[in-house]
Amino acid sequence: MTARLMKILLPLLLGLLCQEPQAQGCPAGCQCNQPQIVFCIARKGTTVPSDVPPDTADLYVFENGITTLDSGSFVGLPALQLLDLSQNQITTLHGGVFQPLANLSNLDLSSNQLQEITNETFRGLRLLERLYLSHNRIHHIQADAFDTLESLLELKLEDNQLQALPPLPLPRLLLLDLSHNRIPALEAGTFGMSNIESLKLAGLGLRQLDEELFLGLRNLHELDISENQLEGAPEVLRGLRGLTRLNLAGNARITQLLPEDLQGLANLQVLDLSNLSLQGLPRDFFSRFPRLREVTAARNPFNCVCQLSWFGQWARESRVMLWSSDETRCHFPPKNAGKLLQHLDYADFGCPATTTTATTARPSTLWPTPPRTSLSPAEPSSQTPTAAPSGGEGPGPLSATAPTGSTGPQRKDCLAHACLNGGTCRPGAWHRLECLCPDGFSGPRCEAKAERPTLPPPPTRLPARVSRLGIEQVSATSLRVKLKNYTQTKAQLKGIRLTYRNLSGPDKRPVTLSLPATLSDYTVTQLRPNATYSICIGPLGGARGPDAEEACGEARTAPSARYNHAPVTQTKEGNLPLMIVPALAALLLGVLAAAGAMYCLRRRGARDKGRGQLGAEAGPMELGGVKAPLEDAGPKLPEGVGVPPGGSECEVPLMHYTAGNNNRAPAPKPSYF
């Protein structure tokens, strides 16, 4: 929450500190620092500003309280290409209201109160490429509403009240999001857009998918059918050979998945199986997807018995990233309940160590099993002794025949005392009788005493560690841990897991903290004076290979005669202490505010002394879409943010990456284009 708040406050703060006199003709309550870009954010008014400059290319009028759009709202704006009207209170769109915007390519009407889309709503928008209508109350779309949108690339209709779909004659469409409407069934031929790449059908209440539903979608790469009521993987998935991302999460009726359920998806790279009712997965399930790189299997009731013993080793050693590994846990049996599946070894699943076919039980031993020896009835062994060892009798003759398939050691063909030293007589291959010798004896009749072999010591599993961790003494109750050298050696570090324990006191239980990867050092507080502490840091999450190495060190706090501090308590792994993030955010905000104010004052002072006006004004930003997403590459700032060429170094546009987000996920995503 703090990070999202900072994304909004920092640009706003710097913009206010560095704000120049508004451009001539800029509407009241708006920002026009960027040429051809007008930001009217949180401006209170029920209508669109009437005095927008005619050369405006991008107009942001979101969260203004607008209730009405009339036919003259956008007259005189022929150059407008991007219009953001999200997070207002618009209930109705009159026919032809957008007709003056012949060059409009991006239109965002999400998070309003629209109820119907008519055939006249988007008349004239032949160049429109992205249309966002999500988070409204739309329950009806007339049959010809999208007929003129021949250039449309993205259409987002999620979180509405649609019960049926109109025809979608959109030959260029690449993304269609219908998630979280009320469409319980989709008939064959519903999707006639042959070029579509991303199709999102989450939360529609689907119980099955028609076998010909995706017929003709030869370019489909991403399919989201999560949060429905499917009882298994639909057979229609087997024909989607180009699919790279598949989301089945939240279909709680799916209790079993077999390798053949997803047969033919050899190009699959991302698979989400979370929130199903899976108790296990077949051993070779993921081997069908050679290009797989990300898997999510969290919040399933896994039964951690022998059939699932392969999963832990696979998760640790494969190159596939297991997301939400801290929520991928065992539910059964009781001895494994709540344990992380990724951390369990083969022995933890209760599997038998070995399987033998011996006719009599043999004690477990570290000695290697001697090879079986066989005797031909016609050719007695020359090594057979003539007398039995102490306490035994001489060997008797063996039977000349042994029927195939006989396994019992008490057959009439095996005379008593044929095998010495407790050996067992049994039929072997080629109708020969053989002696199965006990440990420590060998020979055709187990007459020779075997020497005990010298076995190598078992390998020692050493913990993966890197160079010693740098720790400094700060006070009697705190130690400073240097994190910078560790974080610089990690390519993709999501966060840092810091664990410390008191080696001097009786309570040596570890305390674990989760820290952001951006810290250069961290001070561990509330320690005991004159005590030795062991501190280790490692990556947070499912890192593997060199990135999974830890760094450890020991240090002693200073002695103190008097001290008063709160007791050390256990911290649940994965929860950052409540004061760390707010403190860092406040400190960073203060520093940036001070630095920005000082810098802007210096620039203004320099201009007042005769440096003259700035040379060239900043060029327009390339936004690459309104706000939304096909890929999850992480948030990016548009080109031009920061220091526009020749423009004021303090100009920071008030972008709204967190406000009016078109996705259900809280974090914003960049545009696909």
Side-chain angles (χ1 to χ4, degrees), residues 73-405:
S73 296
F74 305 108
V75 174
L77 298 175
L80 198 63
Q81 299 179 18
L82 185 152
L83 176 59
D84 190 340
L85 293 167
S86 62
Q87 296 193 78
N88 283 290
Q89 301 175 24
I90 304 171
T91 58
T92 305
L93 296 173
H94 298 288
V97 64
F98 301 114
Q99 193 164 5
L101 306 178
N103 292 310
L104 193 67
S105 59
N106 301 298
L107 176 58
D108 191 346
L109 290 164
S110 59
S111 299
N112 278 280
Q113 300 177 24
L114 299 174
Q115 299 182 20
E116 184 180 20
I117 303 297
T118 69
N119 295 339
E120 303 296 322
T121 301
F122 303 119
R123 187 177 61 195
L125 300 182
R126 295 191 176 276
L127 299 182
L128 192 67
E129 295 181 348
R130 297 170 186 86
L131 175 59
Y132 298 157
L133 297 169
S134 55
H135 302 278
N136 278 280
R137 301 175 183 177
I138 302 173
H139 58 81
H140 182 241
I141 299 177
Q142 293 185 4
D144 300 328
F146 302 127
D147 276 4
T148 61
L149 305 182
E150 56 192 31
S151 300
L152 200 64
L153 301 176
E154 296 185 14
L155 176 59
K156 305 192 73 175
L157 290 164
E158 74 269 24
D159 281 287
N160 279 286
Q161 300 174 14
L162 292 172
Q163 298 183 13
L165 287 178
L168 299 174
L170 305 170
R172 299 186 59 194
L173 195 69
L174 298 178
L175 180 148
L176 176 61
D177 194 343
L178 300 173
S179 301
H180 302 285
N181 278 277
R182 302 174 182 178
I183 309 175
L186 295 171
E187 298 179 357
T190 300
F191 308 113
M193 303 79 69
S194 59
N195 291 318
I196 195 166
E197 295 182 357
S198 177
L199 182 59
K200 301 185 178 182
L201 307 174
L204 297 181
L206 300 173
R207 294 180 179 271
Q208 60 183 1
L209 298 181
D210 191 279
E211 294 182 1
E212 298 183 355
L213 182 61
F214 304 132
L215 192 64
L217 303 187
R218 59 181 183 273
N219 291 329
L220 188 62
H221 300 321
E222 178 182 8
L223 178 61
D224 185 352
I225 49 176
S226 61
E227 300 181 45
N228 282 290
Q229 299 181 34
L230 302 174
E231 297 183 358
E235 293 186 8
V236 67
L237 299 180
R238 301 180 184 181
L240 303 178
R241 300 186 179 276
L243 207 63
T244 61
R245 305 170 71 94
L246 176 60
N247 190 348
L248 289 169
N251 286 280
R253 297 188 177 188
I254 297 180
T255 60
Q256 184 182 26
L257 285 176
L258 301 176
E260 55 268 23
D261 290 338
L262 303 180
Q263 185 176 0
L265 304 187
N267 292 312
L268 200 63
Q269 299 179 24
V270 180
L271 178 61
D272 194 339
L273 303 175
S274 57
N275 287 308
L276 305 181
S277 297
L278 300 178
Q279 295 189 20
L281 286 169
R283 180 180 296 272
D284 58 344
F285 184 79
F286 295 118
S287 63
R288 300 291 183 98
F289 320 119
R291 302 184 61 187
L292 194 65
R293 55 184 175 86
E294 297 178 18
V295 166
T296 307
R299 297 175 294 279
N300 276 286
F302 285 121
N303 189 8
C304 293
V305 293
C306 193
Q307 289 81 356
L308 199 60
S309 60
W310 60 273
F311 193 95
Q313 183 178 2
W314 172 86
R316 294 190 297 269
E317 298 179 359
S318 70
R319 297 182 179 180
V320 180
M321 172 65 72
L322 181 65
W323 290 108
S324 301
S325 58
D326 57 335
E327 297 182 76
T328 310
R329 299 175 179 267
C330 301
H331 282 231
F332 309 100
K335 70 171 186 177
N336 287 332
K339 293 182 180 179
L340 294 178
L341 196 58
Q342 187 177 6
H343 292 170
L344 296 182
D345 294 321
Y346 179 83
D348 298 322
F349 290 85
C351 300
T354 57
T355 303
T356 62
T357 59
T359 56
T360 57
R362 301 178 60 185
S364 59
T365 176
L366 294 177
W367 297 6
T369 303
R372 293 175 178 176
T373 57
S374 61
L375 289 175
S376 173
E379 299 176 0
S381 172
S382 60
Q383 299 178 2
T384 303
T386 57
S390 177
E393 299 181 4
L398 294 177
S399 172
T401 60
T404 303

Side-chain angles (χ1 to χ4, degrees), residues 42 151 348 417 453 490 508 593 660:
S151 300
D348 298 322
H417 309 298
K490 307 302 176 186
K508 295 180 173 59

Side-chain angles (χ1 to χ4, degrees), residues 64 70-71 99 180 226 249 284 331 385 388 405 408 462 484 495 497 581 605 629 659 664 667:
N64 277 224
D70 55 44
S71 57
Q99 193 164 5
H180 302 285
S226 61
D284 58 344
H331 282 231
L462 297 176
K484 186 175 182 181
R497 183 184 67 253
V581 173
R664 293 178 64 82

